[in-house]
Amino acid sequence: MTKQTVTFRNVLLQDAAVGHLRRSLARNRISQTYLFTGGPSIGKGRTALAFSAALQCLEVGAPTEDGLPDACGGCLSCRRIAAGSHPDVTTVTLQGNDIRVDQVRRLQELAVLQPNMGKWRIFIIDPADRLNEYSANSLLKILEEAPQRAVFMLLAENLERILPTVRSRSELVAFRTPSHDEARKALATITGLDADTVMRGYALAGGAFGIAGRLLTEGLPPREECAGLRAAHVRLVAEIIAAGDALHTRVEAAPSLEAALQELEAAHTTASIGLLTARRELVRGLIVSVSLPAAFPILFTRLFLEAVDGVKKDLKKAVESLIGKHKQAYTPGLLKEIEEQCGAAIGAWASRQPAAFLEGLMRWHEDLYHWGFMEDEKCLLNLDRKDDIMAVTAARGPACVRARLQLLHHSLELLRRFVQPALVLENVLTDIGGPIA
Ligand SMILES: [Zn+2]
């Protein structure tokens, strides 16, 4: 999984979605707009690249094992798509918290041009459920006027957040969420690693298939014994600061402002194994603790958010000094735009931290819920901590687990609406620290 490959053969566990697209290619019936929907990190992006490659491949029509079209993966076009440098494949992604109208307007200019080296002009919008009101309307206008040779692939987790007028123009391609068991088996097949390592890597990635693949390829550290809640708390704060320091170094060393921006934008999807481990150990500590010290929610929240804030300030300073260094190479307008985009990326990294922590708590509660009903270990994400899950499920009744799942769901929604993270975190931790219901 190290090499970026852009063939359908490399998309796993999505036979229905992939089959649908390959049959469209075989019949040469290509829609203008596709809407790929499904959970995070399950292959939508990989499929969009594979579909783009198959549309543009210079060797397409070469025989495949099952007779359906696929990209060759090796021609100039395929290689450029893999490298992200194909002139006719444009990806638009988040700038901070949403996809902005100026990003979409830029597409308008590109969409009307003839393809440069390929047969199609392809636009991948990921995540399309984060278009805001203005950018979504701007996109709609482009779709209405786009020439025949343009293909749009919109990737979305939440179909509800797509404008109905955009949805109705799109061909829907649904991606399924594989079961934890299927995902682990597929990861074991691709990586060739033993079941125990795969189980840990998959749990560490919070069940995100693509991220698990990356962690397993990078190599997991040996399993450590848990050192208790207090130590886990200290470690998480230290790892956040370390992640910030590492990012700071990369930003400082960036050869251009664009390169620095890329580093900042990539940061929230490429958390280090250290940070993921620390976060998971703390979440685990919270789940298994019978009750928390009364001061814990406030203390934890303060130290956690102070660390995040510290990183934020530090990164802003790094960007400022970089701007000072490269100022001459840019027009004032462009400089301002890049500065804003860097600020948005830093903000997105910071708001990702409390959200990722709550998502971790949510995944454990989902395990408690599933174990309570089915007692089937295949359903567990945190299978390497099955003993914890069994013990906690026995101690806390299903009503308590269900109430907490609802609270976590609601709290994540509040974070998305920019309610102060301190309030949200304290509230969740106070609930978790309370006596067993
Ligand atoms: Zn090819």
Side-chain angles (χ1 to χ4, degrees), residues 417-432:
R417 291 189 199 156
F418 305 105
V419 173
Q420 276 197 19
L423 293 178
V424 178
L425 288 181
E426 272 176 32
N427 185 32
V428 167
L429 290 167
T430 306
D431 185 81
I432 284 181

Side-chain angles (χ1 to χ4, degrees), residues 89-107:
V89 180
T90 307
T91 301
V92 180
T93 187
L94 285 180
Q95 257 179 22
N97 283 311
D98 46 16
I99 291 177
R100 304 192 206 174
V101 70
D102 50 324
Q103 292 175 272
V104 174
R105 278 200 194 119
R106 235 165 273 154
L107 293 191

Side-chain angles (χ1 to χ4, degrees), residues 53 56-60 71-79:
Q56 307 280 33
C57 181
L58 306 173
E59 301 285 333
V60 82
C72 75
C75 72
L76 178 65
S77 172
C78 286
R79 290 200 316 267

Side-chain angles (χ1 to χ4, degrees), residues 80-388:
R80 291 196 75 167
I81 290 176
S85 64
H86 196 292
D88 300 320
V89 180
T90 307
T91 301
V92 180
T93 187
L94 285 180
Q95 257 179 22
N97 283 311
D98 46 16
I99 291 177
R100 304 192 206 174
V101 70
D102 50 324
Q103 292 175 272
V104 174
R105 278 200 194 119
R106 235 165 273 154
L107 293 191
Q108 197 159 20
E109 296 152 26
L110 292 174
V112 294
L113 298 175
Q114 283 298 312
N116 197 309
M117 73 178 267
K119 291 166 231 157
W120 305 87
R121 274 225 167 247
I122 297 171
F123 301 95
I124 300 170
I125 302 186
D126 177 21
D129 46 3
R130 301 286 285 280
L131 290 157
N132 60 35
E133 192 192 333
Y134 307 104
S135 49
N137 276 307
S138 174
L139 177 68
L140 180 62
K141 219 176 292 159
I142 298 174
L143 296 180
E144 282 165 354
E145 292 162 8
Q148 272 201 337
R149 293 279 130 189
V151 177
F152 294 83
M153 301 176 201
L154 315 183
L155 279 51
E157 285 175 30
N158 191 341
L159 202 53
E160 305 289 300
R161 294 209 186 114
I162 302 289
L163 275 187
T165 37
V166 170
R167 224 185 306 164
S168 66
R169 303 185 63 92
S170 308
E171 182 168 330
L172 208 64
V173 183
F175 284 69
R176 59 188 279 271
T177 303
S179 71
H180 294 319
D181 197 47
E182 285 174 308
R184 280 188 284 255
K185 281 185 182 142
L187 284 167
T189 309
I190 329 164
T191 60
L193 294 166
D194 63 281
D196 189 60
T197 309
V198 169
M199 183 165 78
R200 281 202 298 134
Y202 182 66
L204 206 54
F209 190 83
I211 295 173
R214 171 174 69 83
L215 296 181
L216 289 167
T217 314
E218 282 173 13
L220 297 185
R223 185 200 291 273
E224 295 168 41
E225 271 326 298
C226 311
L229 196 57
R230 212 181 128 83
H233 177 196
V234 171
R235 184 165 170 207
L236 176 60
V237 170
E239 285 290 350
I240 287 175
I241 294 169
D245 286 348
L247 188 53
H248 183 123
T249 307
R250 293 201 297 276
V251 168
E252 254 185 341
S256 68
L257 290 174
E258 286 88 349
L261 177 61
Q262 255 175 18
E263 290 287 356
L264 289 167
E265 283 178 341
H268 77 290
T269 53
T270 53
S272 68
I273 287 181
L275 180 55
L276 291 169
T277 307
R279 192 189 286 147
R280 181 159 185 260
E281 280 309 304
L282 180 66
V283 167
R284 177 193 162 273
L286 287 168
I287 299 280
V288 299
S289 64
V290 178
S291 71
L292 298 172
F296 183 82
I298 292 179
L299 185 70
F300 167 79
T301 304
R302 205 187 71 213
L303 292 179
F304 179 80
L305 293 177
E306 267 174 16
V308 172
D309 258 6
V311 169
K312 211 167 137 180
K313 280 189 195 129
D314 193 44
L315 290 174
K316 278 194 176 149
K317 258 189 230 153
V319 169
E320 270 167 34
S321 91
L322 203 65
I323 285 179
K325 215 159 78 187
H326 292 281
K327 216 170 16 205
Q328 284 77 12
Y330 298 87
T331 62
L334 192 56
L335 208 58
K336 189 162 168 274
E337 193 182 318
I338 293 181
E339 189 174 7
E340 270 176 26
Q341 288 173 10
C342 287
I346 293 168
W349 180 88
S351 51
R352 180 72 208 130
Q353 305 313 312
F357 172 69
L358 291 187
E359 281 164 15
L361 276 170
M362 181 110 147
R363 296 289 99 82
W364 277 84
H365 280 91
E366 283 166 359
D367 274 357
L368 298 175
Y369 188 80
H370 288 140
W371 185 255
F373 277 99
M374 289 178 276
E375 299 207 353
D376 178 1
E377 64 173 38
K378 284 185 189 156
C379 305
L380 300 182
L381 166 63
N382 297 289
L383 184 55
D384 57 332
R385 297 289 183 195
K386 188 176 132 195
D387 293 350
D388 292 338

